[in-house]
Amino acid sequence: MAEEKTITPQAEKAETGESAKGQTTETIIVKLEKPYVFEGKEYGEIDLTGLNRLTIKDAIDAQRQLFGEQEVAAAVLCETTTAFARTIAAKATGLPIEFFKLMPRGAAKRVAGAVRSHLNVDGDTKNHVMHLAQAHHCKGKTYQDIDLNGIADLNSLNESEAENRLAREGFVVTENSTNFLYACVIASMATGIPEEFFMGLPLYETLKLKNAVNDPDFFG
């Protein structure tokens, strides 16, 4: 039985279960106060359980897409914007982006709240060691604690390399610390673990990684 998270004015949770891969899963349902009609079909709730299968790469792709669409707000703190939440919700549900764009504000705020709640999963990063909620594997090694202390040893050339990496991927380099791909690139440089490992981490690890990489202690 999977854990069910119903996003209502007060979230309710059921029992935690294990997926076939041994990872904790949850059903994420957004209950709407009023039915929402889209293309002749009525929706009383939105199933966002698909958030569980999304990864940091999906967050990177969403951020790149919003930059390309000139969503100016997304260039600051992307994860706090309505545009980012609806893009992620569309990826999670398979529903067209227009479904979320035309949604009434009240319902849209509930959806955005569910996405942000999923992103803000609590997790420990102590002494620059990031603890993953679930162990992950890469090239025969298992990682649950990622030591990011090597970031302190990176230099200006590494920074330029990271900026060029963003540019090659279609990002206009503005404030690096807000960019999800940048976090993966810097983490890879500091640890020697491939970028693909970090991009493949679950979506809920996105902000934990971004914040860990940009810890002010590294720039003191």
Side-chain angles (χ1 to χ4, degrees), residues 70-89:
Q70 298 185 338
E71 284 279 353
V72 179
V76 185
L77 278 178
C78 186
E79 63 271 14
T80 67
T81 65
T82 301
F84 179 76
R86 68 182 175 228
T87 301
I88 291 296

Side-chain angles (χ1 to χ4, degrees), residues 19-195:
S19 71
K21 294 183 179 180
Q23 294 184 349
T24 301
T25 60
E26 61 182 2
T27 302
I28 306 171
I29 304 294
V30 175
K31 301 285 188 180
L32 306 182
E33 287 189 345
K34 296 180 180 179
Y36 168 44
V37 179
F38 178 78
E39 295 185 344
K41 183 176 179 180
E42 186 175 284
Y43 296 82
E45 61 184 31
I46 311 297
D47 187 348
L48 290 174
T49 303
L51 289 171
N52 293 310
R53 61 174 169 73
L54 299 185
T55 65
I56 291 180
K57 185 179 185 302
D58 290 297
I60 293 169
D61 291 343
Q63 191 173 50
R64 183 192 296 107
Q65 176 184 330
L66 295 176
F67 279 26
E69 294 172 356
Q70 298 185 338
E71 284 279 353
V72 179
V76 185
L77 278 178
C78 186
E79 63 271 14
T80 67
T81 65
T82 301
F84 179 76
R86 68 182 175 228
T87 301
I88 291 296
K91 286 177 177 288
T93 61
L95 292 166
I97 192 66
E98 289 75 19
F99 176 90
F100 296 98
K101 286 184 175 180
L102 298 176
M103 182 176 282
R105 290 181 67 234
K109 285 183 178 295
R110 287 172 180 261
V111 169
V115 171
R116 290 167 191 155
S117 177
H118 186 78
L119 281 168
N120 285 302
V121 170
D122 291 335
D124 293 331
T125 299
K126 297 179 180 178
N127 300 317
H128 305 302
V129 176
M130 188 178 85
H131 181 74
L132 302 178
Q134 297 288 335
H136 288 268
H137 311 282
C138 181
K139 295 185 176 181
K141 293 184 179 180
T142 300
Y143 298 91
Q144 183 141 26
D145 294 288
I146 310 297
D147 188 344
L148 295 169
N149 278 283
I151 291 175
D153 298 322
L154 299 181
N155 57 35
S156 177
L157 288 176
N158 296 123
E159 190 74 16
S160 294
E161 183 180 345
E163 291 172 352
N164 289 330
R165 177 81 172 83
L166 300 189
R168 288 195 299 272
E169 290 296 324
F171 286 102
V172 177
V173 180
T174 52
E175 176 50 59
N176 293 337
S177 64
T178 65
N179 189 283
F180 305 142
L181 175 58
Y182 174 83
C184 294
V185 172
I186 292 296
S188 177
M189 288 179 176
T191 62
I193 302 171
E195 287 177 25

